[in-house]
Structures are given as C-alpha cells and as structure tokens.
Amino acid sequence: MAHADPQWTLRDGDRTGWQIRAEVSPRWIRVQFAGVTVADSKKVLIVTETGKLPVYYFPKEDVRTDLLTPSVHTEEHANKGEALYWHIQIGDTIIERAAWSYARPSAETEFLNDYFSFVWKKAEAWYEEEEEIFVHARDPYSRVDAIPSSRHIQVYIGGELVADSRRPVVLYETGLTPRYYLPKEDIRLDLLSPSDSLTRCPYKGIASYWSAALGGKTYKDVVWSYAQPLPEVHEIAGLLSFYNEEVDALYIDGEQWLLQEKDRLPYKSIAPQ
C-alpha cells in the first residue's frame, strides 16, 4: 500500500462516536532502545483517536526490522483490528513486546498497514529533531501559551493564605483548565516542603513538586514548578503553580475558582495508547 500523502488527513467519525485522524508529521522523529536508534523517520504518521493520547507510527522502511522478532502476544482493538507485538533484540538485550503493528487493520485504519509503533515507556529516549520529548507524542493541534498577567491570585490551604500574587503567568493549554504560575516571593514557602516527585510533560518539560501539611491535613504534591521548562513556555521558569482542584480555595480577582463541567484537567484519565 502506498503511504499517506503529507497533505492528507484521514478521518472516520461514523462508528459509535469514535474518530481517528492520521497525518504525516513534518517533524523528524527518532526512538532509541538500549543506545540504538530503532526507528528514524521524517515521514512519521501522527495518529489521534477518541479517548487516546497521540501516537507516532513509523513507516516500515524507516524501522530497523532486523532488530524485531515476533512475539505470541496480540491485542484486539475494536476499531483498528488485531495488533501484533514484537520484541526488540539488541545484542544480548531483549525488550519484550516493545513494538506493535497491524497485519490486517480495519477498513477505517487501512493507512496503518506497513507501519510500526513503539511502547513509549519501554524506549530509552524519543526525539523530535534534536529535542528529547517525554510521556507521549505531541498533538499537532495542541497549543501552549504562557502569558504574563496582572490578575490577583490567592491560594488557601488548611485555612492559611499560602499565596497572594498580582503578577502570575497564566498557562493556557488547548482544551485544559488554565494554570496560574506564581513567583516564589509571593508564596509562603515556609509552609511547603519539597517532594522527591518528578513528572514529565511533552509540552513543558520536567516538573518538581512541593507538599503542604496544614490544618491537620497533608496535601501531597499540591505545588509544582519547572526549573528549566522547554523554550516554548520559558516564561514559567522557576514559578510555582497550585492544583486549583486540590487546594481549599483559589481566588481569581476575588472570585473563587470552582470546577465546572466544561473544565478539563490534565490527562489523568486518558489512556496512553
């Protein structure tokens, strides 16, 4: 089968509310296992479907198929067909069920024929151009804007006013609830204790955390910060943000923030594949 033209967008929105989109990314994508680049392509398909995070699929000719051996493991996907899993063997190292492909994809996903994808967490590293990326493929239709503001932000934890700032940076991320990043000088750091937790975001970088123990209650990892965020959101470097939905109260210009039905919090409930 011929591979998708870079200008094509392939969609299906007619199967019980399920939709899939695939298009050729203009970005150079690579994935490494055990120090070896197993897939290297400038014509990767980026695939998004209902209820799933974005996934990179590499054309077969850009994959080191000599390093792949078939496993007996398969998974049936109602809308895409049967996924066949592959082990990756590099010298004496075997990474089990680290890749998958569709031998007979469904009619709606025929474009996945002769493409391979890889289990994100089993890879050693992923790269877009020369930048390492984390957690999952980047959605080409997601945008992240970090905008300095003069909104008045107040945060209460355990009955204490923990943060009071008129110089936040508001982070807007497509489809998600805005987050407010505050200067350390406007936060009661004496009420917070650093945590060992770290998380990674494909759009922002590596975050570190703080917890609070106030009013007889522990608020674990309720605050986070990006010491060295990715260049696109450099404005939030070193600033701290609170989980709106986990503090006792967060006020924006004197009005308490309340979780609305339309609010979408970060991808806590979306499957990675």
Side-chain angles (χ1 to χ4, degrees):
M1 174 186 172
H3 290 148
D5 183 277
Q7 303 304 315
W8 286 3
T9 295
L10 307 168
R11 297 172 182 266
D12 170 57
D14 300 326
R15 188 183 290 192
T16 61
W18 173 77
Q19 182 183 69
I20 192 165
R21 176 192 292 118
E23 57 189 283
V24 177
S25 172
R27 303 184 184 194
W28 178 20
I29 310 296
R30 306 185 300 288
V31 58
Q32 294 180 353
F33 291 83
V36 174
T37 298
V38 175
D40 181 334
S41 183
K42 295 174 183 173
K43 47 187 176 179
V44 163
L45 274 186
I46 183 163
V47 177
T48 53
E49 62 176 301
T50 305
K52 306 286 186 181
L53 293 172
V55 177
Y56 292 132
Y57 281 84
F58 293 80
K60 183 176 181 179
E61 63 266 25
D62 293 338
V63 176
R64 289 282 306 273
T65 54
D66 58 305
L67 302 176
L68 304 184
T69 57
S71 77
V72 297
H73 181 73
T74 63
E75 290 184 7
E76 186 67 31
H77 294 272
N79 296 310
K80 298 194 292 293
E82 185 181 48
L84 312 177
Y85 277 76
W86 303 77
H87 304 313
I88 296 174
Q89 182 164 0
I90 299 171
D92 295 329
T93 301
I94 298 176
I95 304 100
E96 296 186 348
R97 296 187 306 228
W100 77 87
S101 63
Y102 290 91
R104 291 179 296 278
S106 67
E108 294 86 356
T109 57
E110 187 181 3
F111 52 82
L112 293 179
N113 191 44
D114 283 336
Y115 279 82
F116 286 83
S117 193
F118 298 87
V119 179
W120 195 280
K121 291 183 178 180
K122 294 190 178 185
E124 181 178 82
W126 292 78
Y127 292 92
E128 267 191 6
E129 304 296 337
E130 296 304 319
E131 182 175 272
E132 186 173 3
I133 52 175
F134 307 103
V135 186
H136 61 79
R138 289 171 170 167
D139 187 336
Y141 297 103
S142 282
R143 175 170 176 160
V144 181
D145 293 304
I147 304 176
S149 174
S150 59
R151 291 176 184 257
H152 186 195
I153 307 299
Q154 296 171 297
V155 180
Y156 286 85
I157 299 178
E160 295 275 355
L161 179 60
V162 178
D164 189 341
S165 181
R166 295 181 182 272
R167 46 181 180 163
V169 171
V170 187
L171 190 133
Y172 297 98
E173 189 168 350
T174 301
L176 301 182
T177 297
R179 297 300 192 184
Y180 301 91
Y181 286 77
L182 313 177
K184 291 181 179 179
E185 295 81 6
D186 297 342
I187 297 171
R188 288 282 307 277
L189 297 178
D190 58 303
L191 300 177
L192 305 178
S193 56
S195 164
D196 292 331
S197 299
L198 292 174
T199 60
R200 291 170 168 82
C201 171
Y203 306 106
K204 298 185 288 292
I206 300 175
S208 55
Y209 287 78
W210 286 260
S211 298
L214 292 163
K217 182 179 177 182
T218 297
Y219 300 77
K220 181 174 174 55
D221 294 343
V222 72
V223 184
W224 74 92
S225 177
Y226 292 90
Q228 296 179 308
L230 296 178
E232 293 84 353
V233 289
H234 63 89
E235 296 92 344
I236 66 172
L239 305 183
L240 274 61
S241 187
F242 292 78
Y243 279 111
N244 306 18
E245 65 278 17
E246 295 184 12
V247 299
D248 290 345
L250 184 144
Y251 290 88
I252 304 166
D253 293 330
E255 183 176 347
Q256 185 174 358
W257 178 90
L258 296 173
L259 183 65
Q260 305 294 323
E261 185 177 349
K262 67 179 181 179
D263 284 323
R264 184 179 172 208
L265 302 172
Y267 303 100
K268 292 182 178 179
S269 60
I270 300 181
Q273 175 191 324

